[in-house]
């Protein structure tokens, strides 16, 4: 599942998706104070012609920026090789040749965007508006009864929306199929709903909630209202749940990356050991990319890739300010204050570019190229091909 982020917002330092999540929790009154976290998202591959378009006819590494007309607080996602730009004024989509395909105008107070497979969703955190879209346009429009907290799309296009709810419940999760038709609904009585995700086979749902005892994870079959299993992570604050494999989910927390099996058992895949999470990406094949700071203030920290079954794949110590991280396929892209660096899944350096001043967000695509995005322009960088 590709992650987006998640607010760049999609968030200089990519405090994006996590920052949005924390903002939502504050909206619920669950948290009175929280650190702002930054996140990065991944996207789909772009064709060779797209790379040549931005890099020049000779296809050399590097890029020429193209401009887009975004409103306030833009958020970004790569979809089918193009760029989706959501903002307070609506949604724009530019195809792989940087041509504007559509420009839909609507109001979003706190815009957010997520992608999965060939579908995307743009929505209003704290509002009730969500629109599903693909590379051709808006496909469906959803109005929720309660204020939206978060949303996610599976690779098969199944949507899970977390929202507030009145009437004594602490939130609800609504699931929609690829056509935007309601398929399942759950109301939470024990914990405030934070994040939810549909399994790769579209048969199960994993939900992350926050209780007085810590983060509680609940699994459901989409064919039954009854809980399949649940567990609580004592004293832990979970930020996002992902469902990359049918037999288990991942919880990105403030203290550790945790895998929760569908039977309710869990294990920490990586303990931060007192470091502070400043960014992450769930878009890699078989691994998660983490950016950790040694201190709340300052740029000393490390990059870590962790396998889905456990074990550190790679570690890089850094003293550069990390603005955005993104993983896709077997690679990772890291945007710092002075350069964009491409890594393998084991964090071996592939190549880097130092002409990225002003960029705030990077999105890595499966062809190995990456968007570098500023407030009103974007460029694609690609490692040299032997």
């Amino acid at each position: 599942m590709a992650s987006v982020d998640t607010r760049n917002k999609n968030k200089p330092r990519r405090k994006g998706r996590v920052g949005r999540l924390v903002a939502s929790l504050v909206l619920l009154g669950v948290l009175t104070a929280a650190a702002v976290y930054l996140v990065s998202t991944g996207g789909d591959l772009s064709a060779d012609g797209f790379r040549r378009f931005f890099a020049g006819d000779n296809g050399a590494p590097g890029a020429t920026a193209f401009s887009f007309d975004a409103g306030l607080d833009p958020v970004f996602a790569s979809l089918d090789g193009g760029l989706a730009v959501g903002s307070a004024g609506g949604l724009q989509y530019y195809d792989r040749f940087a041509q504007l395909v559509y420009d839909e105008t609507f109001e979003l107070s706190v815009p957010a965007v997520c992608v999965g497979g060939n579908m995307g969703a743009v929505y209003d955190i704290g509002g009730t508006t969500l629109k599903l879209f693909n590379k051709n346009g808006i496909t469906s429009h959803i109005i929720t009864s309660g204020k939206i907290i978060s949303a996610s799309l599976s690779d098969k296009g199944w949507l899970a929306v977390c929202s507030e709810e009145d009437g004594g419940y602490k939130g609800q999760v609504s699931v929609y199929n690829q056509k935007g038709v309601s398929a399942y609904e759950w109301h939470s009585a024990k914990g405030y709903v934070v994040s939810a995700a549909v399994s790769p086979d579209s048969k199960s749902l994993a939900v992350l909630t926050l209780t007085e005892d810590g983060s509680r994870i609940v699994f459901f079959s989409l064919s039954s209202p009854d809980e399949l299993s649940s567990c609580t992570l004592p004293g832990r604050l979970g930020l996002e749940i992902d469902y990359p494999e049918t037999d288990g989910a991942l919880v990105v927390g403030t203290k550790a990356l945790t895998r929760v099996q569908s039977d309710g058992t869990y294990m920490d895949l990586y303990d931060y050991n007192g470091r502070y999470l400043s960014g992450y990406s769930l878009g890699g094949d078989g691994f998660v990319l983490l950016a950790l700071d040694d201190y709340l203030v300052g740029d000393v920290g490390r990059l870590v890739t962790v396998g889905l079954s456990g074990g550190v794949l790679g570690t890089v110590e850094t003293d550069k300010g990390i603005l955005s991280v993104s993983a896709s396929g077997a690679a990772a892209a890291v945007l710092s204050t002075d350069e964009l660096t491409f890594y393998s899944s084991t964090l071996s350096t592939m190549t880097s570019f130092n002409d990225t001043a002003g960029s705030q967000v990077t999105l890595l695509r499966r062809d190995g190229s990456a968007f570098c995005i500023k407030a009103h322009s974007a460029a694609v960088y690609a490692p040299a091909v032997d």
Side-chain angles (χ1 to χ4, degrees), residues 14-33:
R14 198 132 176 170
K15 268 167 187 159
R17 201 170 179 178
V18 178
R20 299 170 189 277
L21 212 43
V22 172
S24 301
L25 292 175
V26 173
L27 182 65
L28 281 170
V30 179
L31 300 179
T32 57

Side-chain angles (χ1 to χ4, degrees), residues 8 11 49 86 90 97 130 155-156 185 252-253 266 272-273 288 290-291 296 303 307 322 324 336 347 359 366 381-382:
N8 311 323
K11 324 158 184 174
F97 300 108
L130 183 146
D155 285 342
K156 291 186 177 179
E185 193 169 276
V252 180
Y266 68 90
Y272 307 158
N273 289 318
V288 176
L290 303 172
L296 278 175
L303 298 166
I322 303 300
S324 176
S336 66
L347 292 180
S359 297
R366 292 211 172 237
Y381 288 79

Side-chain angles (χ1 to χ4, degrees), residues 230-351:
S230 67
C231 69
T232 299
L233 308 181
R236 300 280 190 88
L237 172 60
L239 301 170
E240 182 178 3
I241 195 166
D242 189 29
Y243 213 153
E245 298 176 338
T246 302
D247 63 343
L250 295 177
V251 176
V252 180
T254 58
K255 295 182 179 180
L257 174 68
T258 304
R259 181 180 178 89
V260 183
Q261 299 297 121
S262 54
D263 63 2
T265 59
Y266 68 90
M267 63 175 290
D268 286 341
L269 299 183
Y270 189 78
D271 190 310
Y272 307 158
N273 289 318
R275 294 182 175 86
Y276 301 92
L277 180 69
S278 62
Y280 64 87
S281 177
L282 299 167
D285 286 349
F287 72 95
V288 176
L289 173 62
L290 303 172
L292 303 169
D293 290 341
D294 286 359
Y295 311 100
L296 278 175
V297 178
D299 296 326
V300 178
R302 65 172 51 179
L303 298 166
V304 183
T305 50
V306 183
L308 297 188
S309 298
V312 174
L313 303 181
T315 302
V316 171
E317 304 295 329
T318 179
D319 59 0
K320 297 180 179 179
I322 303 300
L323 301 178
S324 176
V325 298
S326 180
S328 182
V334 177
L335 179 67
S336 66
T337 51
D338 60 0
E339 68 180 9
L340 171 69
T341 303
F342 290 85
Y343 294 98
S344 69
S345 60
T346 59
L347 292 180
S348 297
T349 301
M350 298 164 61
T351 189

Side-chain angles (χ1 to χ4, degrees), residues 20-372:
R20 299 170 189 277
L21 212 43
V22 172
S24 301
L25 292 175
V26 173
L27 182 65
L28 281 170
V30 179
L31 300 179
T32 57
V36 180
Y37 295 96
L38 300 174
V39 141
S40 156
T41 59
D44 284 333
L45 70 99
S46 68
D48 231 18
F50 191 38
R51 186 190 313 154
R52 289 197 299 271
F53 175 84
F54 289 103
D57 290 340
N58 61 0
T64 300
F66 80 98
S67 298
F68 51 80
D69 183 18
L72 296 175
D73 296 327
V75 292
F76 310 96
S78 179
L79 183 70
D80 276 350
L83 182 66
V85 183
S87 70
L91 176 69
Q92 297 172 335
Y93 180 76
Y94 295 82
D95 67 16
R96 62 191 183 92
F97 300 108
Q99 298 299 309
L100 179 63
V101 178
Y102 57 86
D103 185 353
E104 297 284 348
T105 301
F106 47 88
E107 293 185 3
L108 299 174
S109 297
V110 186
V113 64
C114 61
V115 295
N118 61 0
M119 294 294 298
V122 62
Y123 58 98
D124 193 5
I125 292 180
T128 58
T129 298
L130 183 146
K131 295 178 185 289
L132 284 167
F133 63 92
N134 59 25
K135 64 180 180 179
N136 298 313
I138 302 292
T139 61
S140 59
H141 180 111
I142 295 172
I143 298 296
T144 61
S145 58
K147 296 178 180 179
I148 299 173
I149 299 166
S150 66
S152 72
L153 275 164
S154 73
D155 285 342
K156 291 186 177 179
W158 283 64
L159 174 71
V161 181
C162 298
S163 60
E164 294 184 38
E165 184 183 6
D166 296 327
Y169 289 102
K170 298 180 178 180
Q172 71 177 40
V173 180
S174 302
V175 176
Y176 303 83
N177 65 18
Q178 306 97 317
K179 297 180 179 180
V181 176
S182 178
Y184 190 81
E185 193 169 276
W186 175 69
H187 306 268
S188 177
K190 295 182 180 180
Y192 292 98
V193 174
V194 176
S195 175
V198 177
S199 63
D201 62 5
S202 307
K203 294 182 178 180
S204 303
L205 174 71
V207 182
L208 170 65
T209 69
L210 183 62
T211 72
E212 293 181 353
D213 298 322
S215 291
R216 182 173 184 260
I217 296 88
V218 190
F219 289 92
F220 299 90
S221 166
L222 294 183
S223 62
S224 170
D226 300 325
E227 295 182 7
L228 286 177
S229 64
S230 67
C231 69
T232 299
L233 308 181
R236 300 280 190 88
L237 172 60
L239 301 170
E240 182 178 3
I241 195 166
D242 189 29
Y243 213 153
E245 298 176 338
T246 302
D247 63 343
L250 295 177
V251 176
V252 180
T254 58
K255 295 182 179 180
L257 174 68
T258 304
R259 181 180 178 89
V260 183
Q261 299 297 121
S262 54
D263 63 2
T265 59
Y266 68 90
M267 63 175 290
D268 286 341
L269 299 183
Y270 189 78
D271 190 310
Y272 307 158
N273 289 318
R275 294 182 175 86
Y276 301 92
L277 180 69
S278 62
Y280 64 87
S281 177
L282 299 167
D285 286 349
F287 72 95
V288 176
L289 173 62
L290 303 172
L292 303 169
D293 290 341
D294 286 359
Y295 311 100
L296 278 175
V297 178
D299 296 326
V300 178
R302 65 172 51 179
L303 298 166
V304 183
T305 50
V306 183
L308 297 188
S309 298
V312 174
L313 303 181
T315 302
V316 171
E317 304 295 329
T318 179
D319 59 0
K320 297 180 179 179
I322 303 300
L323 301 178
S324 176
V325 298
S326 180
S328 182
V334 177
L335 179 67
S336 66
T337 51
D338 60 0
E339 68 180 9
L340 171 69
T341 303
F342 290 85
Y343 294 98
S344 69
S345 60
T346 59
L347 292 180
S348 297
T349 301
M350 298 164 61
T351 189
S352 61
F353 300 91
N354 58 13
D355 59 343
T356 58
S359 297
Q360 299 177 335
V361 178
T362 186
L363 297 175
L364 182 64
R365 284 95 58 81
R366 292 211 172 237
D367 68 346
S369 64
F371 278 115
C372 270

